[in-house]
Amino acid sequence: MFFQLKEAPKKTLDTYDKISELVCAILYFECPDHRANHHILYSANSKLESYREARDFYRPFDDPSTTLGQFSREAYQLANQKYNQLYTIIRGYMYLSDDTQREHFNHHFRFSKEKIDTFHALFSNKDIHKQLQLETSFYEHLKNDVAPLLTQFE
């Protein structure tokens, strides 16, 4: 007797699946201290609050006449940038968590489909980034590229 195993049909990922996977990966990378007993949004909002606190701390020390004042300006701008990016990623995650809007999001991302496909292809081969020790840099660049796509929701 010969048994033939039926191959499970491969599920093709649409744009919604790809962008959702990228946003989730960015959130999990952004929150390395995330615990399984918390929702990812709890950890992300805690990280967002720490960026806000850092931004508020460095703002009063901005003084262009001293090097520490210039350092404070750079730290403030960095904290502000990270805050805004993470806020955008969190909002995108919240929008993308509604699976009933799949067709709407696929339609919405139709002009960015090639970019998202490229981002997802690079993300799918993330083991190469780990081997070359480029994982942190990769996620920073991915965040910089995905965040503008998510700003279109509002």
Side-chain angles (χ1 to χ4, degrees):
M1 289 191 191
F2 293 102
F3 296 101
Q4 291 182 338
L5 296 175
K6 293 184 180 180
E7 290 185 22
K10 290 186 176 181
K11 181 183 174 191
T12 57
L13 298 175
D14 60 354
T15 306
Y16 173 82
D17 290 328
K18 291 177 183 178
I19 194 74
S20 295
E21 187 176 355
L22 292 173
V23 168
C24 287
I26 290 170
L27 278 179
Y28 279 103
F29 185 79
E30 190 71 26
C31 303
D33 54 344
H34 171 67
R35 287 190 256 152
N37 60 341
H38 293 152
H39 194 277
I40 186 62
L41 288 179
Y42 174 79
S43 299
N45 281 320
S46 298
K47 185 77 164 195
L48 190 69
E49 183 65 19
S50 70
Y51 286 148
R52 188 193 62 75
E53 288 173 357
R55 183 184 68 183
D56 292 345
F57 174 76
Y58 284 111
R59 180 67 178 140
F61 300 112
D62 182 4
D63 183 10
S65 65
T66 64
T67 55
L68 278 178
Q70 293 170 3
F71 168 78
S72 295
R73 173 179 283 177
E74 292 171 7
Y76 168 77
Q77 290 172 345
L78 180 65
N80 196 33
Q81 177 192 6
K82 289 188 171 287
Y83 177 88
N84 291 334
Q85 280 182 337
L86 185 58
Y87 179 79
T88 303
I89 298 292
I90 290 170
R91 297 291 295 172
Y93 177 83
M94 289 170 46
Y95 280 116
L96 291 168
S97 65
D98 186 9
D99 195 36
T100 61
Q101 297 291 323
R102 177 182 295 270
E103 291 303 317
H104 169 72
F105 290 123
N106 281 332
H107 178 73
H108 180 76
F109 287 121
R110 71 189 178 281
F111 294 120
S112 305
K113 185 179 183 328
E114 291 80 23
K115 284 183 186 177
I116 294 170
D117 289 342
T118 303
F119 299 157
H120 191 266
L122 285 167
F123 172 72
S124 297
N125 296 316
K126 60 186 169 206
D127 293 337
I128 296 172
H129 309 304
K130 286 181 182 177
Q131 291 173 355
L132 297 174
Q133 298 175 346
L134 296 173
E135 188 176 24
T136 304
S137 178
F138 170 74
Y139 277 102
E140 285 297 320
H141 292 312
L142 181 64
K143 186 171 43 168
N144 289 337
D145 286 337
V146 169
L149 296 176
L150 300 176
T151 59
Q152 302 169 6
F153 289 141
E154 297 181 21

